[in-house]
Amino acid sequence: MKTFKEVVTFLEKEINKEYTFEAIFEGENEIDTEDFNEVVQKIDLDNNGTTDVIIDYIGDPIFILDRGHNVYKEIKMLDVNRVWEGEELTSMVMKQIDNKTIFIREIKLPSYTTEKSKNIIIKKNQKDVVYDRKTNKATEVIRDRKFRVDTLEVKFGDFVASNPNKKKIKNKIKEIHFEATPCYGSCPVFELKITSDGNLEYHGKQSTNFIGRKKLKLDATQLEELFGLIEYMDVKSLKDRYAVNATDNPSGNLKVVFKNGDIKEIYDYGRFGTYNLRVVYKKLMQISDDIK
């Protein structure tokens, strides 16, 4: 790809056949090579030997993985701008560290947060806006604010939070169980069990593409990425319970059975526990969506 026209043709052919990407480059014709290479960066994001693409022009960047054999996949960082969570993405930089492409994000946390972590920083005397319900006005104040620093990399077919202790992980998974519960609305409700050899037992209950019980074999790539991520994020070290400060949300019940007999269970109301847990939930929801 050397021109915007070629980029648009690629995106519409390989990523979304029903959507036109022409608006991204509206008004642009041919530009010099230097400017084009700033907008369309070719880089091996996941260190698998293939050339991936970052398209960063208008709006959110588009990240495309080359999966080999002319298979391409768009991946996205998980949205942190969830109003009821009160989080705000304030900056993101891309760096090369130890021959890996790393994305460092700074996220402003809500003033009421009690989150404690090694990646929490406090900035003094930050400008902030406070809403006064009595006067129905917003005023600017100066106060200390908490920020979370996320370090992300591309692994297991997605953006994941880096694990600095990954060399210590020896927990091999035998099987996983997951239950998606109802919400106030049309959230998918299902249960599934996946074993390390790829056998999948699925029970679609409500608002799923398949209602009923079904047994099938999980795609080898999906299995490797799902189990690999759970082992990589050291699920045993996570809390047993997470919950968002909201109502009428779905929950997730994750049970991981290890080959040495250990069991880890996590109840997550709102399914917002940690970044990598959210990636796991996304993969499990995709597995459910694919069953018809």
Side-chain angles (χ1 to χ4, degrees):
M1 295 183 291
K2 297 181 180 180
T3 66
F4 285 142
K5 184 176 180 179
E6 290 177 338
V7 173
V8 169
T9 300
F10 168 78
L11 291 174
E12 292 177 351
K13 177 183 177 183
E14 303 293 347
I15 304 304
N16 192 331
K17 297 177 176 61
E18 298 179 356
Y19 178 75
T20 176
F21 291 86
E22 290 182 359
I24 297 176
F25 307 113
E26 186 175 3
E28 295 289 350
N29 295 312
E30 299 304 320
I31 60 175
D32 60 48
T33 301
E34 182 177 352
D35 289 341
F36 180 84
N37 289 339
E38 288 183 3
V39 174
V40 182
Q41 302 178 55
K42 299 175 183 179
I43 184 172
D44 185 1
L45 289 171
D46 52 0
N47 298 295
N48 69 344
T50 61
T51 301
D52 309 310
V53 179
I54 304 173
I55 302 169
D56 190 2
Y57 189 58
I58 296 177
D60 295 330
I62 300 172
F63 301 90
I64 309 296
L65 292 185
D66 182 347
R67 310 285 277 172
H69 307 290
N70 294 318
V71 176
Y72 304 93
K73 175 186 178 183
E74 179 182 8
I75 60 172
K76 297 181 179 180
M77 295 182 183
L78 294 182
D79 179 23
V80 297
N81 296 309
R82 296 175 67 161
V83 176
W84 47 267
E85 281 296 320
E87 297 185 346
E88 178 185 350
L89 177 64
T90 58
S91 68
M92 182 181 74
V93 295
M94 182 175 73
K95 295 184 177 181
Q96 292 294 322
I97 301 176
D98 296 331
N99 297 319
K100 294 190 300 184
T101 303
I102 300 296
F103 297 84
I104 301 175
R105 307 189 311 177
E106 189 174 89
I107 299 168
K108 183 169 71 174
L109 301 175
S111 58
Y112 54 78
T113 185
T114 58
E115 183 175 355
K116 295 181 180 180
S117 175
K118 292 181 179 179
N119 62 341
I120 299 294
I121 61 175
I122 298 177
K123 293 187 177 182
K124 302 287 186 179
N125 303 322
Q126 297 291 301
K127 289 184 179 180
D128 202 6
V129 176
V130 176
Y131 179 74
D132 190 329
R133 295 181 181 274
K134 293 182 179 180
T135 62
N136 198 30
K137 291 182 180 180
T139 57
E140 188 176 88
V141 299
I142 303 295
R143 63 183 177 188
D144 298 344
R145 290 305 306 261
K146 285 186 178 180
F147 292 78
R148 186 178 72 244
V149 179
D150 288 344
T151 303
L152 307 181
E153 58 183 306
V154 179
K155 295 176 70 71
F156 312 110
D158 224 313
F159 284 102
V160 304
S162 296
N163 181 3
N165 299 316
K166 56 185 177 297
K167 293 182 179 179
K168 300 178 182 179
I169 297 173
K170 298 179 181 180
N171 299 326
K172 292 300 179 181
I173 298 173
K174 177 182 178 182
E175 61 191 37
I176 66 171
H177 303 249
F178 181 71
E179 178 186 14
T181 69
C183 67
Y184 184 73
S186 57
C187 298
V189 181
F190 63 89
E191 293 182 27
L192 58 74
K193 171 186 173 182
I194 304 173
T195 60
S196 59
D197 56 3
N199 289 321
L200 168 62
E201 297 180 12
Y202 180 79
H203 184 190
K205 299 180 178 181
Q206 178 181 310
S207 301
T208 54
N209 293 326
F210 178 83
I211 301 296
R213 298 181 181 274
K214 198 170 192 177
K215 293 184 179 181
L216 61 158
K217 199 80 171 179
L218 189 64
D219 175 83
T221 299
Q222 284 183 301
L223 178 68
E224 180 181 348
E225 292 178 348
L226 176 61
F227 277 46
L229 173 56
I230 295 175
E231 291 173 354
Y232 174 80
M233 70 185 191
D234 193 10
V235 68
K236 285 185 178 180
S237 67
L238 301 183
K239 295 190 295 185
D240 295 334
R241 184 180 179 89
Y242 295 91
V244 297
N245 185 26
T247 59
D248 302 325
N249 282 268
S251 64
N253 294 302
L254 178 66
K255 177 181 178 181
V256 181
V257 181
F258 295 91
K259 291 184 177 180
N260 65 358
D262 291 348
I263 296 176
K264 174 67 176 182
E265 296 187 64
I266 297 174
Y267 171 78
D268 192 343
Y269 175 70
R271 299 203 289 260
F272 201 75
T274 69
Y275 187 95
N276 283 344
L277 270 176
R278 290 164 61 197
V279 179
V280 169
Y281 301 147
K282 184 176 77 168
K283 291 181 180 296
L284 292 169
M285 299 302 291
Q286 185 61 58
I287 290 173
S288 175
D289 288 344
D290 290 342
I291 298 175
K292 297 179 173 63

